[in-house]
Amino acid sequence: QPTFANIAPWITIVYFFVIVYKILRLILHWNRFKFNGRSAWIKPPVDMKLFCMIKSNEFGIKRKVSLWYSNTINTPLTFGFLNPIILLPVALVNNLSVSEAESLIIHELAHIKSNDYFLNWLLIISETVYFFNPFFLIIVSKIRMEREKNCDASVLQYIYTPISYAETLLKA
């Protein structure tokens, strides 16, 4: 008991500094992404923007969804809760057919429909707080995997075959 009482304040101080370090790193990465990346955004073709708008209406998304291409990312991503933005890497889109690019847009729209952006922030915050618990980290990775499976199932409800969609995901 006395040795634990002597060590507990030090453990608390170390935990506090690790949390502060992780939060500052998250803020730095977010700011770097948000401000440095915007200058590298490229307007997509009108037909892709129109496809994104039509499908977002089909999904029942009330918010305006923007579609952009970017040179600074390697995989498709979605961010923004109030004004969602879908970013597709230029290098990837140049190597995809139109239907493959459309399937990626539908996948990202499924993330927006299920508010995965908000859930992802909750997961990031909880991962930061409970970084020391391996069971919690396993649960978080399972939640992320199930979210991706859910979005993949949304894509397969359309005209895309599972094989072609799997090939698209491999390219991505």
Side-chain angles (χ1 to χ4, degrees):
Q1 291 291 343
T3 57
F4 181 74
N6 292 336
I7 296 173
W10 293 104
I11 292 173
T12 304
I13 290 170
V14 168
Y15 177 75
F16 174 76
F17 281 119
V18 169
I19 294 292
V20 168
Y21 168 75
K22 286 180 159 289
I23 290 172
L24 289 175
R25 203 173 98 204
L26 281 171
I27 292 170
L28 176 72
H29 286 288
W30 174 247
N31 283 334
R32 187 180 309 145
F33 168 75
K34 191 161 185 175
F35 296 112
N36 293 343
R38 190 171 278 262
S39 62
W41 291 3
I42 301 166
K43 287 185 177 183
V46 175
D47 59 336
M48 283 295 169
K49 289 176 85 170
L50 186 61
F51 176 81
C52 182
M53 186 178 10
I54 290 169
K55 291 301 175 185
S56 66
N57 286 336
E58 282 182 22
F59 271 90
I61 300 170
K62 303 282 188 232
R63 300 164 283 175
K64 181 185 179 264
V65 178
S66 300
L67 176 67
W68 291 89
Y69 292 168
S70 176
N71 289 322
T72 59
I73 60 171
N74 298 324
T75 60
L77 62 91
T78 300
F79 71 94
F81 185 70
L82 298 176
N83 298 316
I85 297 171
I86 297 174
L87 281 180
L88 297 177
V90 173
L92 175 65
V93 173
N94 288 336
N95 293 322
L96 295 177
S97 68
V98 173
S99 67
E100 290 173 332
E102 288 174 351
S103 67
L104 291 178
I105 291 170
I106 291 174
H107 178 95
E108 297 302 323
L109 286 171
H111 279 297
I112 294 169
K113 174 67 178 166
S114 60
N115 294 319
D116 282 347
Y117 181 72
F118 180 69
L119 180 62
N120 194 44
W121 274 109
L122 290 176
L123 291 175
I124 288 171
I125 290 168
S126 58
E127 260 182 329
T128 302
V129 173
Y130 298 109
F131 68 91
F132 56 88
N133 188 338
F135 300 111
F136 189 80
L137 298 178
I138 290 169
I139 290 170
V140 167
S141 70
K142 295 285 185 189
I143 290 172
R144 285 196 171 111
M145 183 61 71
E146 289 301 317
R147 285 178 24 221
E148 291 299 324
K149 286 180 187 177
N150 183 37
C151 293
D152 293 339
S154 296
V155 172
L156 295 177
Q157 290 176 358
Y158 287 89
I159 59 171
Y160 310 102
T161 63
I163 297 297
S164 66
Y165 181 60
E167 290 173 352
T168 303
L169 290 178
L170 277 175
K171 290 178 185 178

